[in-house]
Amino acid sequence: MALSFALVVLVLFALEMCHDLSPPKLSMLFVVLAWLPMLVVHELGHALVARLLGWDVLAVVIGYGPEIARFRVGRTLVALRAIPIEGHVLPTPRSLRLARLKCALVYAAGPVAELLVIIAVGVGLGFEVLLTRSTDLTVIALQSVALVGAIGVVFNLAPHALSGAASDGLGILASAGLTQAALEHSLALPYLSRAEHALDCDDARAGHALVKEALAVHPDNVPLSIMLARCEVATGDMEQGLARLEALRMRAGMPEAFETLRLHGAAAAVLESGDASWLEDAAGAARAAVERSPQQPEYLVTLGALQLQLRQLQRAEETLQTAYRLAREPLLEDRCLSYLAAVAHERGQVEQARLLAQALSARTRCARLLARVQRC
């Protein structure tokens, strides 16, 4: 929807500019040119404030659509995409002290960064000049920058979820109501992401060591315990991994969100084990997790992978396509692409499988993901 709206607006801008071109009409061009820099300013605002508050930043994504470049700044994965309409940042706390307040501040930082640009332009140009019609191209360009910033501030502070994710305004409001379970999961995210990446790279022992180290710091963290069970299964100790998951199931007072996470962990553990006799049960657990949390792309990826193993190819493709549309983390998108390529290969869609395999090869060097698509 966002892409279609943007294309319509750009076409209307182009038609208007071609009709009786004058300096003020160049503001339309300057607005388009200013959009990407202002988007970068917005996302950097989120990332920098998160770091100033002592949080980690797992990923910064600039743009929408196909990925064109990927690199790391420290431990932060930066992904650049083809259509500079939107972006997002994935921050995580290092401790839960004042976590709700800090979460609200991180959400607010993007619009505030844009507001600071508007103020800087107003101070440099003069607020009276900023609000006055002009034929001077420099003034028009700066007015356009301020306009883009103002649009960004208003749109992002309005509480909505039009793009499938909470706007900054909605995020600020929701921060006060974050549950302890949500905060605990957020605290575990850096370790979960790195452990999942280790599994994708066929290095389960590294993932196991990482999670054990994290649990030494956060011994009661349920998401970390679930990931440890998955890593135990992946290293060949299926009995210990499943016993750990069963012990969590029996724990009194388990929050609903963690029970959903445990169901997904059990399904993912069976997927890691490759034990065909458990596939039906694992698919049932994954379906239960998806029913409880249908907008969680990670659960959908696991369900789609299990459907692939069960040769339910049409269902697998539909599930994985939904997961790919919902995914906002580049590493999860990589996993989607690897399974989608495998599904296309199994369905005899040779060209589609080849294109997906090429796209994945350009994005990652993870051994297991690439092994899954080598025959494509």
Side-chain angles (χ1 to χ4, degrees):
M1 181 185 295
L3 177 58
S4 300
F5 176 76
L7 289 174
V8 170
V9 170
L10 286 175
V11 169
L12 292 175
F13 275 3
L15 291 174
E16 179 61 23
M17 285 182 62
C18 291
H19 175 69
D20 190 24
L21 182 63
S22 61
K25 286 188 176 182
L26 288 174
S27 63
M28 299 178 189
L29 176 61
F30 291 134
V31 164
V32 173
L33 294 177
W35 199 272
L36 176 58
M38 194 61 74
L39 178 59
V40 172
V41 166
H42 179 98
E43 303 307 337
L44 284 180
H46 289 307
L48 291 175
V49 168
R51 294 304 301 270
L52 287 172
L53 293 173
W55 285 27
D56 289 318
V57 179
L58 296 187
V60 177
V61 178
I62 304 294
Y64 168 84
E67 186 174 287
I68 57 176
R70 178 187 296 190
F71 56 91
R72 284 191 176 272
V73 178
R75 288 187 175 179
T76 302
L77 177 64
V78 180
L80 305 179
R81 297 185 174 175
I83 307 165
I85 295 176
E86 61 182 22
H88 64 272
V89 171
L90 185 58
T92 60
R94 293 179 184 173
S95 77
L96 298 186
R97 183 174 179 272
L98 299 176
R100 294 177 180 86
L101 173 60
K102 290 180 179 180
C103 183
L105 292 174
V106 171
Y107 270 116
V112 168
E114 293 175 302
L115 186 59
L116 290 175
V117 171
I118 297 171
I119 293 172
V121 171
V123 170
L125 194 61
F127 285 99
E128 184 177 348
V129 176
L130 181 63
L131 299 173
T132 302
R133 183 181 177 88
S134 175
T135 58
D136 185 291
L137 290 182
T138 301
V139 173
I140 292 171
L142 291 173
Q143 288 174 330
S144 301
V145 169
L147 175 61
V148 171
I151 292 171
V153 170
V154 172
F155 182 78
N156 286 295
L157 284 180
H160 65 81
L162 296 179
S163 61
S167 68
D168 295 326
L170 185 57
I172 292 168
L173 295 175
S175 294
L178 287 173
T179 65
Q180 188 64 26
L183 292 173
E184 193 172 328
H185 185 262
S186 182
L187 184 66
L189 267 180
Y191 309 105
L192 300 179
S193 179
R194 289 162 60 194
E196 193 84 61
H197 186 61
L199 293 176
D200 286 341
C201 293
D202 208 16
D203 194 357
R205 294 194 180 280
H208 184 275
L210 171 68
V211 178
K212 287 284 286 185
E213 180 183 334
L215 277 168
V217 181
H218 309 290
D220 298 321
N221 190 284
V222 174
L224 287 175
S225 295
I226 293 171
M227 177 55 77
L228 180 61
R230 288 182 56 189
C231 290
E232 286 170 338
V233 171
T235 55
D237 195 351
M238 187 168 184
E239 182 177 347
Q240 174 63 29
L242 294 182
R244 188 180 300 277
L245 290 169
E246 181 63 17
L248 288 172
R249 187 181 73 83
M250 300 300 292
R251 181 184 293 187
M254 178 76 76
E256 182 72 15
F258 284 164
E259 175 57 20
T260 305
L261 191 63
R262 189 198 64 82
L263 284 168
H264 170 257
V270 171
L271 194 61
E272 297 289 347
S273 74
D275 189 335
S277 64
W278 288 83
L279 287 178
E280 288 285 358
D281 290 335
R287 277 193 297 271
V290 169
E291 288 170 2
R292 290 166 176 243
S293 187
Q295 298 300 306
Q296 175 53 259
E298 186 176 1
Y299 299 170
L300 287 163
V301 172
T302 299
L303 176 58
L306 288 164
Q307 289 168 334
L308 168 62
Q309 295 296 317
L310 291 166
R311 304 290 299 170
Q312 299 169 358
L313 300 181
Q314 179 64 35
R315 289 182 182 178
E317 182 176 18
E318 293 170 357
T319 303
L320 291 166
Q321 288 285 6
T322 302
Y324 189 74
R325 287 195 299 271
L326 291 173
R328 293 172 64 81
E329 185 184 353
L331 298 182
L332 184 58
E333 289 179 338
D334 294 347
R335 213 168 303 133
C336 283
L337 286 174
S338 71
Y339 284 121
L340 281 168
V343 170
H345 177 80
E346 292 298 323
R347 298 189 72 184
Q349 300 167 342
V350 179
E351 184 62 18
Q352 176 72 0
R354 185 183 66 81
L355 291 174
L356 288 169
Q358 286 181 347
L360 181 66
S361 299
R363 293 166 60 107
T364 185
R365 292 292 176 267
C366 285
R368 191 165 62 169
L369 298 188
L370 293 175
R372 195 172 290 137
V373 301
Q374 277 180 349
R375 57 183 177 174
C376 301

